[in-house]
Amino acid sequence: MAKRSVVITGCSSGTGQCAAEMLSARGYRVLATARKPQDLDRLEESGLEALSLDLSDPASVSELADEVLSRTGENVYGLFNNGAYGQPGAVEDLSREVLRAQLETNVLGWHDLTCRLLPSMRANRAGRIIQNSSLLGLMALHYRGAYTASKFAIEGLTDTLRLELAGSGVYVSLIEPGPVISRFRENAYAAYKANIDPSTSAHRDMYPIIEARLKDDDSSVPFTLPARAVVKKVIHALEARRPRARYYVTVPTYLLGYMKRVLSSRQLDRVLHAISRAENAPGSK
């Protein structure tokens, strides 16, 4: 019996790399994508099929989809959309171009790839589409507006797609992690340095604290889990007869997800303000 083929985006590190390794060990044929040549070489050396993908480039997404369909004989079973980055900064400091770049990678690239691989799943009447969203797909936190907007968009698109695929044999799931060990902060800091000018901002007194937090090791954040905690949910979404629509990962997601259901907007805002004050206090992690 042929191995089930699973495409994973964003495999250069963190959750994507962990998912590629764990699913390959579990017997899946993993097509792992990354953007940088050195990451592709490293994935190949580890025994994975590594394919180039820049989610912000429509031509790259098209070429990747064509290559995947060719290699698998148009028999793709799973797609784990994971590749993304976070653009820090106050909402009023985000230019149109910066916000567009965030959405190109985190939303439009995922959507484009999904739509290109979905017909093969429909034809086979079997498939799993798994979207790695975030706690910030459920609610907002200070200075994360661009990333939060991208995850809210993914949640809406995914919920709609799940409804539209009912009865097709293709199941759609969202995974909503809180803090997970990855290079997320490192990449977010690079995006911050490239796109935010704190000297002209109304929030300039806060930015040095944000910079210090972004440069710190994210493993020190309370309730942080290793990437394999996310991958365990990916495995369930791939293998369960009836996968869940949503999978929470980490204590903060469970706790704040519950609060969103039971608190008023005003009450929840007070909680979110308190979280921001704590994480942006001098010396915080």
Side-chain angles (χ1 to χ4, degrees):
M1 182 177 177
K3 293 182 178 180
R4 283 178 164 172
S5 298
V6 178
V7 179
I8 305 174
T9 70
C11 296
S12 62
S13 63
T15 299
Q17 180 180 335
C18 184
E21 293 169 350
M22 288 180 66
L23 292 181
S24 179
R26 203 171 178 85
Y28 287 91
R29 179 184 179 183
V30 174
L31 296 100
T33 78
R35 183 170 53 88
K36 297 179 180 178
Q38 60 267 34
D39 292 326
L40 293 168
D41 291 341
R42 182 169 46 79
L43 291 168
E44 286 281 2
E45 289 168 3
S46 69
L48 296 166
E49 288 184 69
L51 299 172
S52 177
L53 174 64
D54 181 348
L55 285 162
S56 68
D57 181 358
S60 178
V61 174
S62 176
E63 290 168 8
L64 181 277
D66 289 345
E67 180 65 20
V68 165
L69 293 172
S70 174
R71 289 195 185 198
T72 63
E74 300 197 4
N75 189 13
V76 178
Y77 179 74
L79 169 61
F80 178 36
N81 277 316
N82 165 76
Y85 74 97
Q87 172 63 63
V91 168
E92 63 192 285
D93 294 333
L94 300 171
S95 69
R96 184 172 185 150
E97 292 73 24
V98 167
L99 186 56
R100 179 185 292 116
Q102 179 80 107
L103 298 177
E104 282 285 356
T105 295
N106 290 17
V107 181
L108 302 182
W110 289 23
H111 173 69
D112 191 4
L113 182 58
T114 299
C115 291
R116 290 177 183 277
L117 299 183
L118 182 53
S120 71
M121 297 181 185
R122 276 190 175 277
N124 296 321
R125 294 195 60 79
R128 304 293 167 96
I129 297 168
I130 305 165
Q131 313 274 56
N132 198 17
S133 182
S134 171
L135 167 61
L136 294 176
L138 301 177
M139 62 193 60
L141 284 173
H142 299 65
Y143 306 113
R144 295 172 172 86
Y147 185 72
T148 299
S150 74
K151 292 305 181 182
F152 270 51
I154 284 297
E155 295 267 336
L157 281 171
T158 303
D159 281 342
T160 307
L161 183 62
R162 186 181 68 251
L163 294 172
E164 292 171 351
L165 288 175
S168 69
V170 182
Y171 292 87
V172 185
S173 298
L174 283 157
I175 299 180
E176 290 155 336
V180 172
I181 296 173
S182 70
R183 281 167 44 191
F184 187 86
R185 282 194 178 190
E186 176 186 336
N187 295 330
Y189 182 65
Y192 165 80
K193 294 296 288 184
N195 298 314
I196 301 297
D197 180 5
S199 67
T200 61
S201 172
H203 302 267
R204 56 185 170 273
D205 292 340
M206 185 60 65
Y207 278 131
I209 299 171
I210 294 171
E211 287 189 42
R213 175 166 51 80
L214 291 173
K215 289 188 285 186
D216 198 12
D217 180 5
D218 61 7
S219 64
S220 62
V221 176
F223 305 111
T224 296
L225 293 179
R228 65 185 300 110
V230 178
V231 182
K232 288 179 181 179
K233 307 293 187 177
V234 173
I235 291 170
H236 190 278
L238 283 171
E239 299 181 359
R241 187 174 65 86
R242 296 184 63 184
R244 301 172 196 163
R246 279 177 166 75
Y247 293 87
Y248 284 6
V249 186
T250 73
V251 169
T253 304
Y254 281 99
L255 180 59
L256 290 172
Y258 173 76
M259 288 184 178
K260 184 174 183 178
R261 292 194 299 271
V262 301
L263 299 181
S264 68
S265 294
R266 183 172 296 176
Q267 290 170 327
L268 183 59
D269 278 357
R270 285 200 287 267
V271 172
L272 299 178
H273 281 305
I275 291 172
S276 182
R277 285 194 296 272
E279 73 170 3
N280 289 316
S284 64
K285 298 296 187 179

